[in-house]
Amino acid sequence: MSDDPEYKPETHTAQALGWDEPAFQGIVPPIYPSTTYARPADNQARYGRMYSRDANPTYDHPEALLNTLEGGAGCRLFSSGMAAVAAVFQSLGPGDHVIAPEVTYHGVRTWLKEQGMRWGLKVDFVPNGDLVALAAAVRLGETKLIWIETPSNPMWDIDDIAASVAIAHGAGARLAIDSTAASPVLSNPIALGADIVMHSASKYLNGHSDVLAGALVTAQDDDFWKAISEYRHIAGAVLGPFEAWLLLRGMRTLHLRVKACSASALAIAEHFHGHPKISKVLYPGLASHPGHDLAARQMKGGFGGMLSLRVKGGAEEALRLSGACRLFKRATSLGGVESLIEHRAGIEPADSPVPPDLLRISVGIEDTGDLIADLERGLEEV
Ligand SMILES: Cc1ncc(COP(=O)(O)O)c(C=O)c1O
């Protein structure tokens, strides 16, 4: 078994906590496709499982592994990252006040603006990383949750997790964080005081662009966590057992992949920083990035595989660059083994704060030189 707490996270992921298949000691855990579980004559659910909406044993492995990696008190998988996001907000009550950043994954912003308002939540958006604005937005007795995302999509601003926690807790609120871009390899927000960590597991955790999943990890097994768990049980936004199994398989290489993406992203950012056709490289690993020192303190061993390029000449030239790429795939999403490039303003809603000249890049695990050459080739067309 590799579930000894003394082992390093790399060991936990490689061996998926060392769980074996119980019947024949296969070293890969099985998929449990059954939706329901037979009971003995006394009619009691012998193994604590009755019906597989949220009780499928295939969830146990990836949930236990992610919980270990994040240092949590519990983990729940969902059918997508957005289902996990919705579970957090819908576990609040009508009238509760939420504060979220202005620049964040656009699905979260849209959910809060449209569904959140319908749910009766009161929502304020504050500039990313502005602790004074965050503190000023707090409504004592009303603010129940502060949501942050760091590094945040797609400008890669850095939020101070511990300072945001202090503001939330000072107001009796919880701090929830979308840690998708950092992954548990580069950040453990619970160690900095966060209450809930959210991941779109469709990204780095799975890593192969073939599973849609979301996850929440809690710092405390408290009433809010019980409400979230009950919400999942009754709302039923669960993933299928095959997806849960694929997710675990993907997670086994999480550390290798994230470290490779991160090293390559840094090299790409450094290469294009100061390029005559690029007005700005947005990447927290660059010393010139305003959040660099903070990121260096609160992230571990790298700054992630996501960066954005602002192309001189606006949307037209940005699209010319992405259109000329042969290796980078023009596709949305992130965190897979293959590199993606995306004109972000083109896919975000009309209220998007993203500038039209911005290309978001998800760096995969290809050869770094090949990726740089592909972007250089694209820039020749600009
Ligand atoms: C940072 C971030 N959070 C949440 C989500 C939503 O995740 P999903 O697509 O799995 O619903 C995404 C998806 O792109 C994302 O990038």
Side-chain angles (χ1 to χ4, degrees):
M1 292 289 282
S2 71
D3 59 356
D4 184 330
E6 294 298 312
Y7 288 134
K8 297 281 185 293
E10 286 83 348
T11 306
H12 290 313
T13 52
Q15 295 213 1
L17 295 178
W19 291 23
D20 290 336
E21 169 273 307
F24 305 106
Q25 245 74 75
I27 64 166
V28 175
I31 304 177
Y32 296 92
S34 188
T35 54
T36 191
Y37 305 91
R39 303 178 190 199
D42 65 4
N43 205 35
Q44 299 304 306
R46 186 179 291 151
Y47 300 108
R49 316 260 172 186
M50 193 182 83
Y51 180 62
S52 168
R53 188 181 302 124
D54 63 340
N56 190 300
T58 322
Y59 304 158
D60 295 358
H61 303 99
E63 286 181 348
L65 179 55
L66 183 55
N67 194 45
T68 300
L69 295 180
E70 289 290 15
C75 173
R76 298 273 181 263
L77 289 181
F78 291 82
S79 54
S80 68
M82 282 313 298
V85 170
V88 173
F89 293 129
Q90 293 199 309
S91 298
L92 296 169
D96 286 349
H97 180 236
V98 171
I99 308 173
E102 282 172 357
V103 183
T104 185
Y105 170 60
H106 69 88
V108 173
R109 193 174 61 248
T110 302
W111 196 97
L112 282 170
K113 280 190 176 173
E114 294 174 4
Q115 311 303 320
M117 301 297 180
R118 215 171 281 165
W119 188 247
L121 297 179
K122 297 176 191 156
V123 186
D124 277 315
F125 295 92
V126 296
N128 296 58
D130 186 339
L131 293 169
V132 175
L134 183 61
V138 164
R139 302 185 198 166
L140 278 180
E142 265 187 78
T143 304
K144 294 289 161 34
L145 191 105
I146 293 178
W147 181 274
I148 60 172
E149 178 188 338
T150 185
S152 66
N153 233 304
M155 313 286 275
W156 315 116
D157 292 317
I158 301 295
D159 267 328
D160 188 326
I161 301 173
S164 304
V165 166
I167 292 172
H169 289 180
R174 290 185 170 80
L175 189 291
I177 174 167
D178 183 339
S179 198
T180 300
S183 90
V185 177
L186 303 178
S187 180
N188 288 133
I190 287 176
L192 298 171
D195 298 288
I196 300 281
V197 179
M198 177 262 156
H199 289 281
S200 166
S202 326
K203 317 299 180 195
Y204 288 104
L205 291 174
N206 170 260
H208 294 77
S209 309
D210 56 8
V211 167
L212 204 69
L216 298 175
V217 184
T218 187
Q220 304 90 225
D221 185 6
D222 57 8
D223 287 352
F224 191 55
W225 187 243
K226 286 185 177 58
I228 287 173
S229 304
E230 179 57 24
Y231 174 88
R232 183 180 75 156
H233 172 70
I234 208 67
V238 293
L239 72 174
F242 182 57
E243 283 74 19
W245 182 88
L246 267 182
L247 173 60
L248 184 71
R249 189 177 69 164
M251 283 172 75
R252 285 173 168 238
T253 54
L254 176 69
H255 286 82
L256 281 179
R257 287 186 285 100
V258 170
K259 286 178 196 173
C261 296
S262 200
S264 211
L266 178 60
I268 293 171
E270 283 171 344
H271 181 91
F272 289 102
H273 178 63
H275 190 286
K277 291 182 178 175
I278 300 290
S279 64
K280 204 159 196 177
V281 178
L282 306 176
Y283 186 65
L286 291 176
S288 57
H289 186 285
H292 175 74
D293 291 345
L294 175 58
R297 277 201 309 279
Q298 75 180 13
M299 295 178 81
K300 339 168 259 180
F303 299 90
M306 297 302 300
L307 66 121
S308 294
L309 302 178
R310 295 192 63 181
V311 184
K312 287 186 184 166
E316 203 179 318
E317 298 302 330
L319 283 163
R320 214 186 296 281
L321 164 53
S322 73
C325 287
R326 283 194 234 143
L327 201 50
F328 280 88
K329 293 182 190 304
R330 285 171 292 281
T332 196
S333 200
L334 61 100
V337 290
E338 60 292 288
S339 294
L340 307 179
I341 191 162
E342 181 177 38
H343 181 244
R344 200 64 193 167
I347 69 117
E348 294 210 1
D351 69 345
S352 170
V354 176
D357 58 6
L358 182 142
L359 292 175
R360 188 183 81 170
I361 288 178
S362 171
V363 178
I365 61 168
E366 304 94 335
D367 177 75
T368 310
D370 286 347
L371 294 175
I372 290 176
D374 201 44
L375 291 169
E376 284 287 11
R377 184 185 311 121
L379 279 164
E380 281 170 19
E381 305 297 320
V382 171

